[in-house]
């Protein structure tokens, strides 16, 4: 791999060997619970479908992601990876990945903004044929700063809702220059990762970080999309009183019909013991809300970027600020109230000091789809125009079938008569 000004992860660590050993241990544990990647691994190792491909990735670099990265390398690709959030990298996993002869990892936890973008630039020095993004920062860097790379890129994959929103906006402006699969939007991803993954891991991380219970507390969930639905359901399952805030009347109605209290944020904030934002939007919790919050409230964000809770405004209001626990920053206001912000307002389930991200089984599905899409680009990339593309339905179904086989779950299939009936329009009463 080429020499870059920004060095791979090992140059940033004191005890690289210990980090590699621990990172590999984490990867091995995750791999034991990733039957989809295991099945794909056999195919990829045998067929080498990614031979000759150069893949640049910007993802949350932790054990599950690392198993996807290794799968792509085993499939014949040369891979570079960096983080997609300054706080979500596990340095030990990053170091373990970097030992693979076909993988270079630039991901380091706690980089500043300059380091974050320098690492993306370094990963792009591979001159990629395929990109894999979580949030679209890599696609943006290519289009804005390295347009010369567009020539050789066959296509890309995008992991999360915010990235797909950004890509669709770019596509609508005619600015997206290569095809990208909206991996986030496919059923095998959204219905499991966004709903169950975000619900379970956000709540677990908040509970572990604070050592507090949800039972009997008012938990405000901002946004009742896929992620919010999961957070709300699982918080209710832990005996919280769930309050939902929404801007979309249909989502607000859905939350209401599920039995949750629906309120504007101004009223919800005054009742909250915990607020979790899951909107993918900005300025969801702002000064007027801080003004009415209870002493001791917990503020956490599970959306992709750290702009859902206005921390600049909170900082202005605060007369004191201190680390109340690892991963919890208390902002003390003039009247003595303490508002506690988790993980610096970054996505709590990945950026908290103890965060592990989604459960392994969930990411096995998401990354199974990612791997299938990367293979599709390598094999049939020319068939896709520049723009955002849905994941081909048969790829998504294949991943579901692999998982069901691994779980030993059998299910019915359509008979010919049933299939014909469902495709027809002339059978009435
Ligand atoms: P979604 O589009 O299904 O849901 C977002 C919801 O927020 C929508 O219903 C929308 O109407 C609502 N909303 C927008 N502005 C609002 C406001 N000001 N107040 C209240 N509600 C508002 O999106 P999804 O899939 O739930 O993703 C949400 C965010 O979470 C995205 O940024 C996504 O990238 C991120 N994400 C985070 C994960 C994690 O591990 N923490 C995993 C998957 C997605």
């Amino acid at each position: 791999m080429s020499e870059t000004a920004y060095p791979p992860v090992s140059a940033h660590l004191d005890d690289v060997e210990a980090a590699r050993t621990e990172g590999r241990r984490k990867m091995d544990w995750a791999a034991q619970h990733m039957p989809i990647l295991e099945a794909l691994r056999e195919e990829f190792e045998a067929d080498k479908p990614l031979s000759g491909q150069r893949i640049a990735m910007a993802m949350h670099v932790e054990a599950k992601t690392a198993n996807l990265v290794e799968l792509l390398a085993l499939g014949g690709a040369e891979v570079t990876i960096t983080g997609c959030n300054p706080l979500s990298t596990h340095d030990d996993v990053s170091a373990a990945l970097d030992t693979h002869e076909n993988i270079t990892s630039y991901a380091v936890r706690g980089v500043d903004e300059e380091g974050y973008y320098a690492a993306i630039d370094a990963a792009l020095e591979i001159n990629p044929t395929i990109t894999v993004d979580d949030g679209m920062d890599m696609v943006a860097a290519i289009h804005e700063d390295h347009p010369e790379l567009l020539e050789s890129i066959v296509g890309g994959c995008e992991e999360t809702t915010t990235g797909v929103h950004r890509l669709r906006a770019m596509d609508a402006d005619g600015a997206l220059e290569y095809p990208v699969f909206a991996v986030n939007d496919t059923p095998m991803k959204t219905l499991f990762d966004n709903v169950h993954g975000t619900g379970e891991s956000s709540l677990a991380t908040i509970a572990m970080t604070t050592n507090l219970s949800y039972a009997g507390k008012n938990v405000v969930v901002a946004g009742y999309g896929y992620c919010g639905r999961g957070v709300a359901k699982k918080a209710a399952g832990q005996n919280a009183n769930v309050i939902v805030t929404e801007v979309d009347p249909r989502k607000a109605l859905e939350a209401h019909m599920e039995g949750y209290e629906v309120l504007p944020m101004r009223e919800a904030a005054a009742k909250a013991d915990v607020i979790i934002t899951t909107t993918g939007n900005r300025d969801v919790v702002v000064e007027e809300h801080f003004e009415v919050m209870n002493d001791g409230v917990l503020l956490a964000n599970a959306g992709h970027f750290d702009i859902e809770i206005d921390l600049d405004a909170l900082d202005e209001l605060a007369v004191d600020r201190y680390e109340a626990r690892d991963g919890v920053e208390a902002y003390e206001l003039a009247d003595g109230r303490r508002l506690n912000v988790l993980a610096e307002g970054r996505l709590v389930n990945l950026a908290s000091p103890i965060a592990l991200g989604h459960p392994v089984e969930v990411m096995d599905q998401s990354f199974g789809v990612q791997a299938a899409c990367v293979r599709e680009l390598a094999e049939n990339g020319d068939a896709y125009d520049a723009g955002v593309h849905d994941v081909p339905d048969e790829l998504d179904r294949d991943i579901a079938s692999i998982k069901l086989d691994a779980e030993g779950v059998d299910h019915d299939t359509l008979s010919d008569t049933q299939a014909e009936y469902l495709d027809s329009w002339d059978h009435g009463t």
Side-chain angles (χ1 to χ4, degrees):
M1 199 134 310
S2 67
E3 288 290 315
T4 65
Y6 189 84
V9 57
S10 49
H12 302 263
L13 304 182
D14 292 336
D15 190 345
V16 182
E17 276 314 314
R20 286 175 180 155
T21 307
E22 181 55 16
R24 174 55 59 184
R25 203 162 73 108
K26 289 181 178 176
M27 286 170 66
D28 288 347
W29 171 260
Q32 285 175 46
H33 304 275
M34 301 182 92
I36 299 172
L37 291 200
E38 178 60 33
L40 292 175
R41 176 183 282 251
E42 283 171 27
E43 288 175 28
F44 277 39
E45 264 187 309
D47 305 343
K48 300 282 181 211
L50 308 181
S51 206
Q53 300 296 335
R54 298 179 303 277
I55 304 177
M57 307 174 73
M59 307 281 282
H60 300 292
V61 178
E62 47 71 67
K64 287 96 68 181
T65 313
N67 285 319
L68 168 67
V69 177
E70 226 173 48
L71 171 67
L72 301 179
L74 285 171
E78 201 181 331
V79 187
T80 54
I81 182 158
T82 183
C84 65
N85 181 301
L87 290 184
S88 65
T89 295
H90 288 219
D91 287 345
D92 47 10
V93 171
S94 182
L97 262 186
D98 198 53
T99 58
H100 194 290
E101 61 174 339
N102 286 344
I103 301 171
T104 307
S105 179
Y106 297 96
V108 183
R109 184 185 164 91
V111 281
D112 59 15
E113 194 168 317
E114 194 185 331
Y116 178 80
Y117 288 107
I120 290 183
D121 288 345
L124 287 174
E125 287 189 20
I126 195 175
N127 195 7
T129 54
I130 293 173
T131 60
V132 182
D133 246 313
D134 187 322
M136 209 207 83
D137 282 348
M138 185 165 265
V139 169
I142 290 168
H143 284 73
E144 286 164 11
D145 305 328
H146 305 283
E148 73 284 359
L149 297 177
L150 289 166
E151 176 80 21
S152 56
I153 296 179
V154 184
C157 299
E158 172 53 53
E159 171 78 8
T160 198
T161 312
T162 286
V164 171
H165 281 177
R166 293 178 78 192
L167 286 163
R168 288 199 197 283
M170 212 176 158
D171 197 7
D173 283 349
L176 181 57
E177 300 275 356
Y178 62 87
V180 181
F181 281 125
V183 171
N184 176 75
D185 293 359
T186 201
M188 280 296 285
K189 199 274 181 184
T190 331
L191 298 178
F192 302 90
D193 175 316
N194 300 35
V195 179
H196 298 284
T198 310
E200 287 180 23
S201 62
S202 300
L203 291 172
T205 306
I206 295 168
M208 293 293 290
T209 300
T210 60
N211 199 16
L212 297 174
S213 163
Y214 297 104
K217 292 219 169 72
N218 289 333
V219 173
V220 174
V221 181
Y224 196 70
Y226 290 104
C227 294
R229 194 178 303 165
V231 173
K233 180 174 180 171
K234 286 160 201 279
Q238 296 189 53
N239 297 355
N241 307 312
V242 174
I243 301 169
V244 169
T245 71
E246 249 299 342
V247 291
D248 179 333
R250 290 163 304 180
K251 297 287 175 59
L253 181 59
E254 206 183 328
H256 171 69
M257 298 294 276
E258 283 294 330
Y260 303 123
E261 190 174 4
V262 177
L263 290 174
M265 182 55 88
R266 170 100 192 164
E267 288 172 45
K271 291 184 160 193
D273 297 303
V274 184
I275 299 182
I276 306 170
T277 53
T278 69
T279 69
N281 204 343
R282 59 177 306 148
D283 305 329
V284 179
V285 180
V286 296
E287 184 172 346
E288 64 165 327
H289 308 129
F290 301 135
E291 281 166 357
V292 297
M293 283 178 192
N294 294 313
D295 179 32
V297 67
L298 306 180
L299 303 176
N301 167 49
H304 189 76
F305 287 122
D306 59 342
I307 53 176
E308 305 214 12
I309 304 169
D310 186 354
L311 292 183
D312 290 338
L314 184 54
D315 200 32
E316 295 253 311
L317 282 180
V319 293
D320 191 14
R321 195 179 144 174
Y322 55 90
E323 193 180 37
R325 285 173 64 82
D326 272 3
V328 183
E329 187 84 353
Y331 290 74
E332 194 168 317
L333 307 187
D335 59 12
R337 284 177 299 136
R338 289 152 299 180
L339 313 190
N340 298 301
V341 176
L342 277 72
E344 301 175 21
R346 295 192 182 275
L347 71 188
V348 68
N349 58 326
L350 283 149
S352 286
I354 55 135
L356 296 172
H358 288 2
V360 179
E361 300 92 327
V362 168
M363 293 318 294
D364 188 32
Q365 295 186 193
S366 302
F367 290 154
V369 179
Q370 283 283 8
C373 287
V374 168
R375 180 173 55 189
E376 174 68 7
L377 287 170
E379 290 173 350
N380 302 310
D382 291 347
Y384 298 91
D385 296 334
V388 179
H389 292 264
D390 289 338
V391 173
D393 204 43
E394 64 276 16
L395 295 190
D396 199 56
R397 283 173 189 270
D398 284 351
I399 298 299
S401 297
I402 296 174
K403 175 79 179 200
L404 286 171
D405 280 351
E407 302 263 308
V409 178
D410 204 2
H411 64 101
D412 289 327
T413 51
L414 290 173
S415 68
D416 291 345
T417 322
Q418 287 171 328
E420 191 193 329
Y421 172 74
L422 290 175
D423 280 343
S424 68
W425 56 269
D426 55 351
H427 292 278
T429 38

